[in-house]
Amino acid sequence: MDASICKDAAVQALIVSALEGKLIDEQAERLAQLDDALIKLVLLAAARRIAELEGKLGAAGKIDPATPSGQRPVYTKPAAPKRKGKPGAKKGHVGRSRPTPQRVDQRKEHRLDRCPCCGGELQRCNRTRTRTIEDILEDLRTVVTEHTVHRDYCPACKKHVEPVVPDALPNAKIGHRTVALSAWLHYGVGVSISQVQELLGGQFQTHLSSGGLVAAWQRMAAIFEPWYVRIAEMARASAVLHADETGWRMNGQTWWLWCFANRTCCYYLIDPSRGGPALEKFFAEAFDGVLITDFWPAYNAFATERQCCLVHLLRELEKVDQHNGSAEWQAFAKKLRRLLRDGIRLRKRPDFSPQRYASRIVRIDRRLRELAEAAYVDADASRLAKRLRRHTDELFTFLDHPDVTFDNNLAERMIRPPVILRKTSQSNRSEKGAAVQAVLMSIYRTLKLRGHNPLATIVSALLTYLTDGHLPPLPIESVADG
Ligand SMILES: [Zn+2]
């Protein structure tokens, strides 16, 4: 799990390098360890880029005049005659959406046996409509399917009825796999929208517009909202939960991205508040389990039991060390370090259990109280001692609960991929965009934590949603990988 998160973070740089032709040895090595689908996408995008560049060279005079027009790169062809008048349809004309692809690879018929409303027999009619859906297959080939939908008449209901085409959302012209793959690239991996277009674009006959992608992701997020709600419920009900927050840009303002995570759940919330209001939205009331956080005071009111991250505390000691050489500080820092190290070592003993080492734990607790309650002249020692007093019961919780860690690494790892996305995509421009982002990131991350292939899971859930009319439950942890 650890490796997969770091992998996602590195993918961004790899894709950019590959597309710019700057992939170095070490990056190629890393690329080779990624998901098959992603490797293929990067290679195809790179191949297309090469063809494009060769096309440009050809235009400079290297192209064989005997090459048939159809095999020539478009760059070498003369420019089309200049368009007369304004682009776009005349006023009053019907609007146009995504153009229908020229090629049809397969045809499918859809016809109801019985009326979906009353179950009665239907009178066969000759009414049909066709719908073209373009999608990416598992091997990344694209397939254009023309669906013929029969509309028959139900005498009981006195209306025409037609079956649902489960391959794409109503009125959508791209299939589930394309929607799921593009959303995973963007929200799961951190690839920017223009890079998603570039990676997938070469596969498609028709252009994937950024507006079309965003609209598809919004519909997807609306459908999967119940899973997002479920992830929050499960996180709130868990015995151990990590929390962390980081700055986020929302339409030019500073918002906060919150992350609540454990081994099987990862829930993101994008909110204008960095304090109580956001936590209240998530927790509603106090959390019953152990909450693992840094020393940010906003969490105080919500956790009955808490573990503050010891790595944060150790980092703080190092920071002070750099500017404070006073003997009192040195002695304080040395004692505190030794105390923390002793606690961590105790926990790491193979035979550790809170019962077996009860007296050792009591001794550690006593040392902490002594260190916290002593009087200090040094400003840093005094400030840190105050922090120890405030968090006396929140530093060694991991010795009472073996499933609690002494660091907040899990939440920090979970918050890293969106931070990478923040750098490439300037966070969100609207509250709706922020909500979509939070829903889809939570779902991708949680599916991954539970050992499921996010793509396959999303595609099959969308099929079920359209076939049965409701979303299947959020998958539990996979036995094979979990
Ligand atoms: Zn009927």
Side-chain angles (χ1 to χ4, degrees), residues 115 117-120 154 156-157:
C115 172
C117 307
C118 68
C154 174
C157 298

Side-chain angles (χ1 to χ4, degrees), residues 1 3-9 11 34-35 184 188-189 263-264 266 414 417 441-455 457 477-478 481-482:
M1 177 197 73
S4 79
I5 304 285
C6 298
K7 197 176 74 179
D8 279 357
V11 164
L34 298 177
D35 306 67
W184 170 68
V189 181
R263 273 187 54 255
T264 56
C266 181
M414 292 296 156
M441 280 194 320
S442 303
I443 288 168
Y444 278 113
R445 204 53 58 204
T446 299
L447 288 175
K448 231 172 163 182
L449 281 172
R450 295 180 179 200
H452 296 280
N453 175 335
L455 279 185
T457 311
E477 205 169 353
S478 132
D481 303 355

Side-chain angles (χ1 to χ4, degrees), residues 3 27 53 64 80 234 240 267 290 373 394:
Q27 287 178 309
L53 293 171
D64 180 355
M234 293 177 105
V240 178
Y267 184 87
V290 179
E373 278 152 24
E394 300 168 348

Side-chain angles (χ1 to χ4, degrees), residues 146-275:
E146 189 185 85
H147 296 268
T148 302
V149 183
H150 292 267
R151 310 194 73 206
D152 293 320
Y153 186 73
C154 174
C157 298
K158 295 193 171 51
K159 63 177 183 188
H160 281 89
V161 287
E162 64 168 47
V164 171
V165 176
D167 305 58
L169 292 174
N171 299 315
K173 290 184 174 176
I174 54 172
H176 301 318
R177 218 182 144 74
T178 306
V179 176
L181 180 63
S182 60
W184 170 68
L185 284 169
H186 186 60
Y187 297 110
V189 181
V191 176
S192 71
I193 293 180
S194 61
Q195 286 169 345
V196 170
Q197 284 176 284
E198 193 159 3
L199 284 171
L200 298 183
Q203 311 299 104
F204 274 79
Q205 292 189 43
T206 39
H207 176 68
L208 288 169
S209 72
S210 57
L213 282 174
V214 170
W217 298 338
Q218 283 176 354
R219 293 180 81 183
M220 184 181 155
I223 291 168
F224 284 94
E225 171 101 29
W227 283 13
Y228 181 62
V229 172
R230 184 77 191 119
I231 294 168
E233 285 169 3
M234 293 177 105
R236 273 195 296 269
S238 58
V240 178
L241 192 65
H242 294 256
D244 200 5
E245 81 292 326
T246 185
W248 195 254
R249 300 297 287 173
M250 221 296 293
N251 201 18
Q253 293 173 304
T254 299
W255 277 36
W256 298 90
L257 173 83
W258 294 81
C259 172
F260 304 93
N262 59 32
R263 273 187 54 255
T264 56
C265 295
C266 181
Y267 184 87
Y268 297 101
L269 178 71
I270 298 175
D271 197 87
S273 149
R274 198 201 173 180

Side-chain angles (χ1 to χ4, degrees), residues 357-377:
Y357 287 98
S359 63
R360 295 278 283 274
I361 296 171
V362 170
R363 277 211 297 280
I364 282 178
D365 209 46
R366 198 184 306 137
R367 279 164 66 192
L368 173 64
R369 275 165 215 282
E370 278 167 17
L371 195 59
E373 278 152 24
Y376 300 94
V377 182

Side-chain angles (χ1 to χ4, degrees), residues 64-82:
D64 180 355
T67 310
S69 170
Q71 289 174 21
R72 277 202 211 173
V74 284
Y75 306 95
T76 67
K77 295 179 183 174
K82 218 175 171 191

